[in-house]
Amino acid sequence: MTQSIGILTSGGDTPGLNAAIRGVGKTCLSQYGIHIVGFRDGFRGLMENRTMALDGATLSGILTLGGTILGTSRDKPHKMPMQGKLVDMTETIVANYHANQLDCLVCLGGGGTMKNALRLQQAGLNIITLPKTIDNDVALTDTTFGFDTALGIATDAIDRLHSTAHSHHRIIVVEIMGHRAGWLALGAGIAGGADVILIPEIPYDVEAVAEAIKSRKRKGKPFSIVAVAEGALSKQEFELQQETAAKKKDKKLKEVVSVPELVYAERTLSLARQLELLTGLEARPTILGHLQRGGTPSAADRLLATRLGAAAADLIANKEYGVMVAAHGETSLAVPLQDVAGQVKTVPPDHAWVASARGVGVSFGD
Ligand code: F6P
């Protein structure tokens, strides 16, 4: 009997999503004759049964496109915003899955999507997921598609900021996305030659950051680039967060502290002001924001998304469900979804990237 699958993209958009949709879709159609339907705007579209036909025509010409042709949302099946309230719509989603006579639902997403997908698996659906996010914070995969493109964009931005920082003898504090993981700021900071890199995993002391900048000035370099990850915290902020978490009797900080993007930006502006006061140099903040997620995917992301997508199709044909298709060296691995959901891959403070940055004189402000 012909298999039928659904596919959706959920969470923040990421370069490479269309390449992945195409990878799954074209391999399903051409290698296995599997029928595919797309659901629009993540789990919301599945709940509302808003579909998009995915066939040879719609899967064509999308490899190089940024964003997602399916649209996306951050809506969760069990907490769907409905007329001002959050409602558990899992039953409706399960009913729509069966109404579409699906054998499997493929969910392309990051950490949040993994948790939502696991919930649907526990509600009885056959699920396969693919790891996408510019944050690179999904556990048990070498990397995620979207990260390489964002890394290139953020590095290019730092390159450009260098010449203006140098010309004006200024500090440029550049905020880089990543939510509560420092991979993107760390990678772009190293690749762009930042002088200071601040990441959530290594709480910083603003005085130590200022000292690193002043030391450069003393050596005849009166300009500095500070690459700060969205979730970077000073030692005091980190302690405060831990106390809050302890008060809530939950040691999992990530569950307790929900930080809107505006707060990230406010912290970056405040850091720039503090550095001005402490160093006597002018400082300018630059928030790269959603630029980092936009536009065409890099060649590496197209390749990764295509090969993970094709591997997902192979698993579907073998009826191997309940897994995330992880990048593993040059191949892929089917990792149980329950092992991935709820895990966040943050930067180990002794990671080789951190060590190499320290080796070339980068300050982490610690
Ligand atoms: O998870 C990807 C990401 O871009 C994070 O780096 C960032 O903190 C967040 O999404 C921004 O979310 P939104 O696009 O919903 O503002």
Side-chain angles (χ1 to χ4, degrees):
M1 219 176 82
T2 311
Q3 276 179 282
S4 264
I5 64 156
I7 184 164
L8 59 80
T9 54
S10 174
D13 72 319
T14 290
L17 275 171
N18 290 322
I21 294 168
R22 173 180 175 272
V24 178
K26 285 201 166 185
T27 313
C28 276
L29 286 171
S30 68
Q31 301 301 308
Y32 302 111
I34 297 171
H35 173 261
I36 316 153
V37 63
F39 290 96
R40 295 181 189 273
D41 304 333
F43 294 108
R44 175 160 287 273
L46 176 56
M47 187 269 290
E48 292 168 350
N49 204 21
R50 286 188 289 115
T51 60
M52 173 179 180
L54 290 178
D55 50 25
T58 43
L59 292 169
S60 217
I62 63 170
L63 175 64
T64 60
L65 297 183
T68 159
I69 57 164
L70 291 173
T72 187
S73 72
R74 293 197 183 274
D75 292 341
K76 305 175 173 85
H78 67 299
K79 279 186 190 170
M80 192 71 66
M82 306 284 284
Q83 290 155 354
K85 279 193 262 172
L86 293 176
V87 184
D88 186 349
M89 298 305 289
T90 307
E91 267 184 34
T92 310
I93 284 179
V94 171
N96 284 341
Y97 173 96
H98 292 302
N100 283 285
Q101 299 183 313
L102 300 182
D103 295 291
C104 174
L105 176 69
V106 181
C107 305
L108 278 52
T113 303
M114 299 301 154
K115 288 198 266 184
N116 292 322
L118 179 64
R119 284 192 190 99
L120 293 184
Q121 184 184 316
Q122 287 161 346
L125 308 192
N126 293 327
I127 302 282
I128 288 190
T129 65
L130 261 68
K132 70 86 212 174
T133 165
I134 65 163
D135 302 343
N136 194 34
D137 61 351
V138 177
L140 304 180
T141 179
D142 288 355
T143 188
T144 54
F145 53 88
F147 177 64
D148 182 75
T149 308
L151 187 61
I153 296 169
T155 301
D156 181 58
I158 295 177
D159 289 349
R160 289 170 191 282
L161 291 169
H162 247 119
S163 56
T164 172
H166 177 267
S167 305
H168 283 268
H169 320 301
R170 280 175 177 158
I171 303 165
I172 300 261
V173 179
V174 52
E175 182 192 287
I176 296 171
M177 275 188 166
H179 207 33
R180 279 167 224 141
W183 294 106
L184 195 53
L186 177 61
I190 294 172
D195 308 294
V196 177
I197 302 177
L198 305 177
I199 58 174
E201 296 84 349
I202 305 178
Y204 66 87
D205 175 354
V206 71
E207 304 270 353
V209 176
E211 185 44 44
I213 293 168
K214 285 194 283 185
S215 152
R216 281 176 51 77
K217 191 177 165 189
R218 285 194 293 272
K219 289 176 192 152
K221 293 179 179 173
F223 67 95
S224 285
I225 300 284
V226 178
V228 57
E230 280 182 332
L233 296 169
S234 68
K235 290 183 177 174
Q236 291 89 329
E237 286 166 336
F238 179 75
E239 272 161 29
L240 201 68
Q241 275 207 349
Q242 280 201 317
E243 278 168 27
T244 314
K247 274 189 204 138
K248 292 193 178 178
K249 291 199 179 92
D250 188 342
K251 292 201 176 66
K252 283 190 220 151
L253 220 54
K254 60 187 166 59
E255 298 295 336
V256 177
V257 190
S258 171
V259 190
E261 274 59 51
L262 192 61
V263 176
Y264 292 144
E266 280 167 4
R267 285 212 299 252
T268 300
L269 301 189
S270 151
L271 175 64
R273 271 196 301 272
Q274 288 179 71
L275 291 177
E276 265 191 350
L277 291 174
L278 291 168
T279 63
L281 289 169
E282 266 190 337
R284 293 285 188 273
T286 299
I287 293 163
L288 298 184
H290 291 80
L291 271 179
Q292 295 161 101
R293 288 204 329 229
T296 189
S298 67
D301 275 337
R302 293 179 205 180
L303 174 60
L304 178 64
T306 302
R307 65 188 186 83
L308 296 188
D314 297 340
L315 291 167
I316 295 162
N318 287 330
K319 301 192 166 63
E320 271 185 63
Y321 307 127
V323 294
M324 175 184 81
V325 189
H328 184 69
E330 285 169 18
T331 71
S332 64
L333 267 187
V335 177
L337 192 48
Q338 65 206 25
D339 294 350
V340 178
Q343 306 296 323
V344 182
K345 185 178 81 177
T346 52
V347 178
D350 60 352
H351 191 270
W353 290 10
V354 175
S356 61
R358 290 194 197 277
V360 296
V362 171
S363 165
F364 284 84
D366 54 342

